[in-house]
Amino acid sequence: QVQLVESGGGLVQAGGSLRLSCAASERTFRTYNMGWFRQAPGKEREFVAAIWSGGSITYNEPVKGRFTISKDNAKNTMYLQMNSLKPEDTAVYYCAAATRLVTVQSLVDYWGQGTQVTVSS
Protein backbone atom coordinates (compact mmCIF):
# COMPACT_ATOMS: atom_id res chain seq x y z
CA GLN A 1 0.00 0.00 0.00
CA VAL A 2 1.36 3.39 -1.01
CA GLN A 3 1.12 6.14 1.58
CA LEU A 4 1.52 9.79 0.70
CA VAL A 5 1.76 12.26 3.57
CA GLU A 6 1.48 15.97 2.82
CA SER A 7 2.45 18.92 4.95
CA GLY A 8 3.12 22.63 4.63
CA GLY A 9 -0.23 24.21 3.91
CA GLY A 10 -1.47 27.31 5.67
CA LEU A 11 -2.66 30.87 5.38
CA VAL A 12 -0.60 33.42 3.46
CA GLN A 13 -1.17 36.88 2.03
CA ALA A 14 -1.28 37.44 -1.70
CA GLY A 15 2.23 37.68 -3.09
CA GLY A 16 3.60 35.41 -0.41
CA SER A 17 5.13 31.94 -0.59
CA LEU A 18 4.52 28.47 0.79
CA ARG A 19 6.27 25.15 0.34
CA LEU A 20 4.31 21.92 0.37
CA SER A 21 5.92 18.57 1.06
CA CYS A 22 4.82 15.04 0.21
CA ALA A 23 6.60 12.17 1.92
CA ALA A 24 6.45 8.69 0.44
CA SER A 25 8.29 5.41 0.57
CA GLU A 26 11.50 4.87 -1.41
CA ARG A 27 9.76 2.34 -3.62
CA THR A 28 7.07 4.89 -4.47
CA PHE A 29 9.60 7.41 -5.68
CA ARG A 30 11.37 4.85 -7.82
CA THR A 31 8.22 3.37 -9.27
CA TYR A 32 5.65 6.11 -9.70
CA ASN A 33 5.27 9.37 -11.50
CA MET A 34 4.48 12.01 -8.86
CA GLY A 35 2.43 15.17 -8.96
CA TRP A 36 0.21 17.75 -7.31
CA PHE A 37 -3.46 18.51 -7.84
CA ARG A 38 -5.68 21.09 -6.19
CA GLN A 39 -9.38 21.51 -5.59
CA ALA A 40 -10.98 24.84 -4.83
CA PRO A 41 -14.43 25.07 -3.20
CA GLY A 42 -17.15 24.28 -5.72
CA LYS A 43 -14.68 23.39 -8.44
CA GLU A 44 -13.30 20.19 -9.90
CA ARG A 45 -9.90 18.90 -8.89
CA GLU A 46 -7.27 20.18 -11.32
CA PHE A 47 -3.73 19.19 -12.18
CA VAL A 48 -1.01 21.53 -10.94
CA ALA A 49 2.42 20.02 -11.58
CA ALA A 50 4.12 16.70 -12.22
CA ILE A 51 7.59 15.27 -11.88
CA TRP A 52 8.04 12.13 -13.89
CA SER A 53 10.07 9.11 -12.84
CA GLY A 54 12.65 10.04 -15.48
CA GLY A 55 12.99 13.53 -14.02
CA SER A 56 11.13 15.67 -16.53
CA ILE A 57 8.60 18.19 -15.26
CA THR A 58 5.19 19.41 -16.40
CA TYR A 59 3.21 22.41 -15.14
CA ASN A 60 -0.33 23.50 -15.72
CA GLU A 61 -0.48 26.91 -17.33
CA PRO A 62 -1.92 28.90 -14.38
CA VAL A 63 1.11 28.12 -12.18
CA LYS A 64 3.93 28.33 -14.71
CA GLY A 65 6.66 30.69 -13.56
CA ARG A 66 5.32 30.81 -10.00
CA PHE A 67 5.38 27.21 -8.76
CA THR A 68 8.32 24.81 -8.75
CA ILE A 69 8.04 21.07 -8.29
CA SER A 70 11.02 19.07 -7.12
CA LYS A 71 11.93 15.92 -5.25
CA ASP A 72 14.68 14.80 -2.92
CA ASN A 73 15.27 11.11 -3.52
CA ALA A 74 17.45 10.80 -0.43
CA LYS A 75 14.56 12.01 1.72
CA ASN A 76 11.83 10.34 -0.35
CA THR A 77 10.04 13.67 -0.40
CA MET A 78 8.47 15.74 -3.15
CA TYR A 79 8.03 19.49 -2.85
CA LEU A 80 5.91 22.21 -4.37
CA GLN A 81 7.41 25.65 -3.89
CA MET A 82 4.68 28.21 -4.46
CA ASN A 83 5.67 31.85 -4.97
CA SER A 84 3.71 34.95 -5.90
CA LEU A 85 0.57 33.34 -4.54
CA LYS A 86 -2.80 34.68 -5.61
CA PRO A 87 -6.23 34.37 -3.96
CA GLU A 88 -7.25 32.08 -6.82
CA ASP A 89 -4.59 29.61 -5.68
CA THR A 90 -6.70 28.94 -2.59
CA ALA A 91 -7.54 25.23 -2.57
CA VAL A 92 -6.87 21.89 -0.96
CA TYR A 93 -3.67 20.58 -2.49
CA TYR A 94 -3.23 16.85 -3.01
CA CYS A 95 -0.13 14.79 -3.61
CA ALA A 96 -0.60 12.12 -6.29
CA ALA A 97 1.21 9.02 -7.53
CA ALA A 98 0.53 7.23 -10.79
CA THR A 99 2.14 4.47 -12.82
CA ARG A 100 0.91 6.13 -15.99
CA LEU A 101 -0.22 9.72 -16.55
CA VAL A 102 -0.03 11.61 -13.28
CA THR A 103 -1.49 14.62 -15.08
CA VAL A 104 -4.88 12.93 -15.45
CA GLN A 105 -7.02 12.65 -12.33
CA SER A 106 -8.71 9.41 -13.39
CA LEU A 107 -5.33 7.73 -13.87
CA VAL A 108 -3.91 8.60 -10.45
CA ASP A 109 -3.36 5.46 -8.39
CA TYR A 110 -2.83 6.99 -4.97
CA TRP A 111 -3.73 10.26 -3.26
CA GLY A 112 -2.52 12.02 -0.19
CA GLN A 113 -4.97 13.32 2.40
CA GLY A 114 -4.75 16.91 1.17
CA THR A 115 -3.47 20.11 2.76
CA GLN A 116 -5.31 23.43 2.79
CA VAL A 117 -3.71 26.49 1.21
CA THR A 118 -5.50 29.79 1.75
CA VAL A 119 -4.32 33.00 0.11
CA SER A 120 -5.86 36.20 1.42
CA SER A 121 -6.16 39.34 -0.67
Side-chain angles (χ1 to χ4, degrees):
Q1 182 72 14
V2 172
Q3 286 192 317
L4 305 173
V5 181
E6 299 129 335
S7 59
L11 173 64
V12 65
Q13 289 188 331
S17 299
L18 280 174
R19 188 177 78 160
L20 306 182
S21 300
C22 173
S25 67
E26 179 182 359
R27 178 180 175 276
T28 302
F29 266 73
R30 286 190 284 109
T31 305
Y32 291 86
N33 299 310
M34 304 292 294
W36 294 94
F37 283 71
R38 67 185 181 186
Q39 187 166 18
K43 294 188 176 182
E44 291 189 356
R45 193 171 297 189
E46 68 170 353
F47 164 71
V48 175
I51 187 162
W52 304 89
S53 58
S56 58
I57 288 172
T58 303
Y59 294 103
N60 199 355
E61 195 64 36
V63 307
K64 279 184 179 179
R66 299 188 299 122
F67 290 11
T68 302
I69 189 171
S70 63
K71 63 180 180 177
D72 185 333
N73 290 330
K75 296 182 178 180
N76 299 322
T77 301
M78 176 178 66
Y79 303 100
L80 185 67
Q81 177 66 44
M82 305 184 294
N83 298 329
S84 302
L85 282 162
K86 306 174 181 180
E88 52 263 44
D89 294 317
T90 295
V92 177
Y93 283 70
Y94 295 91
C95 176
T99 54
R100 293 182 290 168
L101 293 176
V102 72
T103 54
V104 178
Q105 182 181 349
S106 62
L107 296 181
V108 170
D109 296 300
Y110 297 98
W111 295 98
Q113 81 282 4
T115 185
Q116 176 70 47
V117 171
T118 303
V119 184
S120 63
S121 57

